Amino acid sequence: MGITEASRPRREDAVSARAREPEDRPLLLTGGTVITGNPLMGDWERADVLIGGGVIVGVGPGLLTAAEDDDMIVIDCAGTVVLPAAVDLTGNGASGTLTPGERADVAVYRIADAPGTPPGAAPFRGGHRDLLIVDGRIRDATEAPDGSGPVAAPWPEGDAPHPYTGTWVTEDGFIRQELLPNGRYDEGRGERESAYTGRYRVGGNRIDYLDDLGFWAFGEFHDGVLHHAGYRFTRR
């Protein structure tokens, strides 16, 4: 599927305007080099960052395939580096991460202007930033970012027992997500069976997904409802 709503960052057009006032629509940064700052997840030469409700919903390749289904606002970030808004390249200070479930504080730089701070230099906070997102909202790219989040815990060696195995379905029945006892999930969308498959883990009321396409996502269970990527699932 091609990009139906695409824009270079900071381009003053209809897409940029909608991205600044998303009205609860997810925002997808697609096609950039993604530096997560999370050693468990790693980095991608070309991947996507999905933002919704002020938090990072998913990170990795393949998220663009759901753009039309989920009514995303899509911003083309090809030729840029997408990384946490708070970055310390010296390794001595606090940095944010692009981890699903963390606050969406994201900066986008053109490749030619991407951080290249020599060893011992101060944390990178300048350069030609094309796009700044703070708490899920596009801000003036010259502003100083704030806020960060912890790195996710490592993937467990084994699958701990949990009460959430079974099939979870959205209110309209369009998405069907089966959480298998072996730590795998299988998600169908409309007429597409197994549209997404991969691994999952549950810790408390949180579920983390690592899709076979390579992207990460998360959800939360509250009062018998699975909240994931802006959808509400109930067990069938």
Side-chain angles (χ1 to χ4, degrees), residues 13 40 49 67-68 70 107 128 135 137 140 153 161 163 178 228:
D13 59 10
L40 172 64
V49 177
E68 195 170 279
D70 296 349
H128 295 86
D135 198 19
R137 294 279 180 162
D140 186 326
E178 186 176 5
H228 165 62

Side-chain angles (χ1 to χ4, degrees), residues 40-41 152-159 182-185 198-202 207-211 215-217:
L40 172 64
M41 295 169 58
W155 200 273
E157 291 294 329
D159 299 315
N182 63 357
R184 298 279 300 174
Y185 68 89
R199 300 166 61 191
Y200 77 90
R201 64 176 180 184
V202 172
I207 179 171
D208 288 278
Y209 304 88
L210 176 54
D211 197 85
F215 66 81
W216 293 72

Side-chain angles (χ1 to χ4, degrees), residues 8 14 29 46 65 73 89 93 128 139 141 148 154 168 180 196 216 227 235:
R8 291 294 181 186
L29 309 179
R46 183 180 176 87
T65 60
I73 298 171
L89 296 178
H128 295 86
R139 304 282 288 273
S148 62
W168 296 78
L180 302 170
Y196 295 101
W216 293 72
H227 300 264
R235 199 198 302 261

Side-chain angles (χ1 to χ4, degrees), residues 180-194:
L180 302 170
N182 63 357
R184 298 279 300 174
Y185 68 89
D186 189 310
E187 180 175 299
R189 289 180 165 232
E191 296 181 356
R192 288 182 292 157
E193 298 296 333
S194 301

Side-chain angles (χ1 to χ4, degrees), residues 30-163:
T30 186
T33 297
V34 175
I35 309 298
T36 69
N38 183 329
L40 172 64
M41 295 169 58
D43 307 320
W44 289 272
E45 184 175 348
R46 183 180 176 87
D48 309 322
V49 177
L50 179 60
I51 297 167
V55 301
I56 296 171
V57 175
V59 179
L63 287 165
L64 182 61
T65 60
E68 195 170 279
D69 291 344
D70 296 349
D71 193 28
M72 298 176 189
I73 298 171
V74 180
I75 295 182
D76 184 359
C77 292
T80 70
V81 174
V82 182
L83 69 169
V87 174
D88 175 13
L89 296 178
T90 69
N92 297 320
S95 293
T97 69
L98 300 185
T99 301
E102 300 299 336
R103 196 174 98 157
D105 294 337
V106 185
V108 178
Y109 295 85
R110 292 189 301 272
I111 291 289
D113 302 316
T117 307
F124 179 82
R125 298 190 184 277
H128 295 86
R129 188 164 54 210
D130 278 319
L131 186 66
L132 174 64
I133 296 172
V134 177
D135 198 19
R137 294 279 180 162
I138 293 180
R139 304 282 288 273
D140 186 326
T142 62
E143 292 184 34
D146 71 308
S148 62
V151 174
W155 200 273
E157 291 294 329
D159 299 315
H162 63 83

